[in-house]
Amino acid sequence: MTQHEPEATNISSASTRARIEMLRQQRHRLEQGGGPERIARQHQAGKLTARERIHLLIEPDTFQELFLFSHHRCTAFGMAGKEMPGEGVITGCGSVDGRQVFVAAQDFTVAGGSVGEMHADKICQTMDLALKCGSPFITINDSGGARIQEGIDALSGYGRIFYRNVLLSGVVPQIAIIAGPCAGGAAYSPALMDFIIMVRGSEMFITGPEVLKQVTGEQVTGEELGGPEAQIRSGVAHFIAENDAEAIALCKRLLSFLPSNNLEDPPDRGDGELRFYNDPVLDTMIPDDPREPYDVIPIIKRIVDDGDFLEVQRGFADNAVIGFARIDGSTVGIVANQPTVMAGVLDIDASDKIARFVRFCNAFNIPLITFIDVPGFLPGVAQERGGIIRHGAKMLFAYSAATTPKISIILRKAYGGAYLAMCGKDLGADRVAAWPSAEIAVMGPEAAVNIIYRDQIKQADDPAAARAEFVRLYRAEFASPYVGAGRNLIDSIIVPSETRRYLSLALASLRTKREFRPQKKHGLVPL
């Protein structure tokens, strides 16, 4: 007996068509955010809307919006039944350069992007999905702050977001784009994330200028207090963009260097071939006079792929340089002293800057290359009282705790505790190479001879000439890289022009590195 399929029909019921049309109309209305007038004001302020920002970030036809129909349940202060499209935030997922990301973009056209219970819940559920799927999480902040009408529910929402920032930390990359106001408690979510990109005209602060004036009498503008330049100087922000489009392009570039999560290797754009080349220009880039400064960034750019170096936190602690590059197509993290700024010494801010970057690279399996030219830690009463010992210890801790491949290249000076803090062999460096210009010692030759040969210099017929000779002898006998190489603390002394070859081979050999540490809940960073 044959079972017949029911006959198909092309006729939809009127009620179904009506429901579909109603859905389309409702979606269209909600997607307009605060409406044409508020969108126009957003554009007049030189800002894109939340939806426009997402369209720039996410590849066409890949964005899947989540929680569009979210609605608050506040009834106080005339809020009962009041519609706030999308609850002032657009959330969802999509592709950036073929990789999935999750995003939450606050919509300033809806109640100033204020954060209420459902607004926060949308962000929290999106973060939960980013964690489950092992995908980067990106926020685009543009909000007037907590929704006052919702009281403690709004505060609770912030707390739930902060908690998830910590859960995601070290598991998936978190990037915040500050594209408008980000004030009060709201500033702590970006501060808990890995990177902050601030757009010109945006502001980020805990206490606004008006409140400061009332409470403390201090009078400053919003730009002076919480603008991009101010937050770069404070070490809070990592990048400044001129406008929304540039910020999103910068976010995409940053993502291109990062793995999607801590279980993946960083993106590899190579073809499996090691690109060896000698660069004779490198042989001439270190001045003969050890006191003469030089810019380390051109050295970095001559070594990495295509001269492509994304510097992070430029403008904060510029005596240290950090950033991302590629060697043979694979991402590496770069740390370097900058001799053109304070001779490249380590101070409180440089220590914090390097330590945080090292810990990020370690969390996401990014090999570290450290270029060393450091005369020591910065002396001074202000540094001592500010806790240079504690802050310097963060660097020692970060490098020692890192199990990602670590390669150090000593370019010139490597003195005292700062030599160790910049990842010497004893802090677990897998490879240490030195250029012939390297000087490794407890302190600089000039300072050392003043102590060691003080009496001989005083008794000499020509103290200046005697001192110069002692400096030469100390540099040759004690500060020479061959002394460290003789103790197996330096693996190789290399010709500068061969640095690229050395790094290519070292990184290739360390791809299978495995390092096991004592089991513990976590180490105790000297915060």
Side-chain angles (χ1 to χ4, degrees):
M1 183 175 179
T2 304
Q3 185 173 354
H4 297 282
E5 296 291 333
E7 291 186 9
T9 177
N10 294 324
I11 302 174
S12 298
S13 68
S15 61
T16 299
R17 290 199 303 271
R19 289 190 188 100
I20 291 173
E21 182 59 27
M22 183 184 298
L23 170 61
R24 286 174 175 157
Q25 290 178 6
Q26 192 171 1
R27 283 171 54 180
H28 177 74
R29 187 184 72 257
L30 294 173
E31 287 169 355
Q32 299 310 301
E37 290 185 7
R38 292 185 180 179
I39 290 173
R41 286 203 294 268
Q42 184 88 345
H43 289 161
Q44 288 166 7
K47 298 160 60 176
L48 298 177
T49 66
R51 204 164 289 278
E52 289 167 341
R53 290 163 177 160
I54 287 177
H55 287 165
L56 274 182
L57 175 67
I58 303 297
E59 292 171 5
D61 300 322
T62 68
F63 183 63
Q64 184 176 31
E65 186 166 355
L66 303 172
F67 316 117
L68 173 63
F69 300 97
S70 179
H71 192 279
H72 67 84
R73 53 182 177 179
C74 179
T75 57
F77 306 103
M79 292 282 287
K82 185 176 181 180
E83 184 177 68
M84 293 188 177
E87 275 301 291
V89 62
I90 300 169
T91 54
C93 60
S95 294
V96 175
D97 293 332
R99 294 193 300 162
Q100 178 174 259
V101 302
F102 284 81
V103 61
Q106 292 179 315
D107 187 350
F108 196 78
T109 71
V110 178
S114 59
V115 177
E117 178 192 19
M118 290 299 108
H119 179 120
D121 189 71
K122 288 178 67 171
I123 295 174
C124 288
Q125 290 206 49
T126 304
M127 295 174 79
D128 290 342
L129 286 168
L131 188 62
K132 289 178 182 178
C133 298
S135 300
F137 177 67
I138 301 164
T139 62
I140 305 177
N141 294 68
D142 190 1
S143 168
R147 192 174 297 167
I148 298 171
Q149 297 93 327
E150 297 198 30
I152 195 170
D153 289 330
L155 293 178
S156 173
Y158 277 127
R160 294 171 62 207
I161 293 170
F162 301 161
Y163 182 75
R164 281 162 176 79
N165 285 133
V166 176
L167 290 181
L168 270 62
S169 180
V171 181
V172 298
Q174 300 180 80
I175 301 172
I177 297 174
I178 311 299
C182 182
Y188 280 112
S189 178
L192 288 166
M193 298 174 76
D194 300 312
F195 298 100
I196 296 174
I197 302 168
M198 290 192 72
V199 179
R200 295 272 183 205
S202 65
E203 292 179 343
M204 188 179 179
F205 47 73
I206 297 299
T207 306
E210 299 82 4
V211 177
L212 271 180
K213 185 178 179 181
Q214 292 175 7
V215 175
T216 67
E218 295 179 84
Q219 187 166 352
V220 292
T221 66
E223 178 65 25
E224 291 172 328
L225 182 68
E229 295 286 357
Q231 293 304 348
I232 283 285
R233 288 193 301 272
S234 71
V236 171
H238 298 81
F239 302 96
I240 297 177
E242 295 300 320
N243 51 51
D244 288 355
E246 185 177 302
I248 289 166
L250 186 52
C251 178
K252 289 182 177 180
R253 186 180 177 206
L254 176 58
L255 282 169
S256 75
F257 288 100
L258 310 180
S260 292
N261 57 67
N262 63 337
L263 299 180
E264 291 185 1
D265 289 328
D268 190 343
R269 294 187 172 184
D271 56 8
E273 295 292 323
L274 302 185
R275 304 299 181 193
F276 292 157
Y277 59 82
N278 288 351
D279 185 355
V281 174
L282 289 173
D283 294 337
T284 65
M285 295 188 75
I286 300 292
D288 292 333
D289 184 350
R291 293 170 295 183
E292 184 179 339
Y294 63 91
D295 189 350
V296 75
I297 292 179
I299 291 177
I300 295 169
K301 289 185 174 181
R302 296 196 75 91
I303 292 171
V304 302
D305 291 358
D306 305 317
D308 183 19
F309 175 57
L310 177 60
E311 186 177 356
V312 176
Q313 281 191 302
R314 181 189 304 164
F316 171 66
D318 283 335
N319 44 322
V321 173
I322 59 174
F324 298 105
R326 295 180 181 89
I327 289 183
D328 299 321
S330 294
T331 300
V332 294
I334 302 288
V335 177
N337 306 111
Q338 178 55 285
T340 61
V341 181
M342 300 164 58
V345 297
L346 294 174
D347 62 354
I348 288 171
D349 286 344
S351 299
D352 287 354
K353 178 178 178 177
I354 293 173
R356 181 175 179 180
F357 183 73
V358 167
R359 287 179 68 79
F360 176 85
C361 289
N362 186 56
F364 290 101
N365 314 308
I366 298 172
L368 283 159
I369 298 174
T370 305
F371 294 99
I372 304 170
D373 186 353
V374 62
F377 282 96
L378 180 65
V381 174
Q383 288 289 305
E384 295 290 351
R385 288 178 176 171
I388 184 62
I389 296 173
R390 174 168 51 88
H391 290 272
K394 295 178 187 180
M395 279 186 64
L396 294 166
F397 191 103
Y399 268 124
S400 298
T403 57
T404 193
K406 297 178 288 191
I407 303 171
S408 297
I409 308 291
I410 304 173
L411 305 180
R412 193 167 64 174
K413 299 173 184 175
Y415 296 161
Y419 151 67
L420 296 174
M422 290 298 294
C423 200
K425 192 79 168 180
D426 299 294
L427 259 64
D430 301 294
R431 297 281 194 284
V432 178
W435 286 7
S437 50
E439 298 177 3
I440 304 100
V442 173
M443 62 179 66
E446 290 81 3
V449 299
N450 287 339
I451 298 172
I452 299 171
Y453 301 109
R454 179 178 53 191
D455 294 339
Q456 293 93 319
I457 292 171
K458 283 182 179 179
Q459 296 166 8
D461 294 334
D462 186 346
R467 185 176 182 280
E469 178 61 15
F470 283 130
V471 167
R472 186 190 68 79
L473 290 172
Y474 183 91
R475 185 169 275 125
E477 295 183 17
F478 297 102
S480 163
Y482 295 96
V483 176
R487 303 289 193 278
N488 296 341
L489 297 175
I490 295 175
D491 297 283
S492 303
I493 301 172
I494 61 175
V495 178
S497 57
E498 299 173 355
T499 304
R500 168 65 186 226
R501 174 185 176 87
Y502 181 86
L503 289 173
S504 291
L505 289 170
L507 287 166
S509 73
L510 291 168
R511 282 183 181 272
T512 56
K513 176 186 175 183
R514 296 292 182 270
E515 187 170 334
F516 301 98
R517 298 296 180 90
Q519 287 190 348
K520 52 186 170 182
K521 193 169 185 179
H522 56 72
L524 300 173
V525 185
L527 298 172

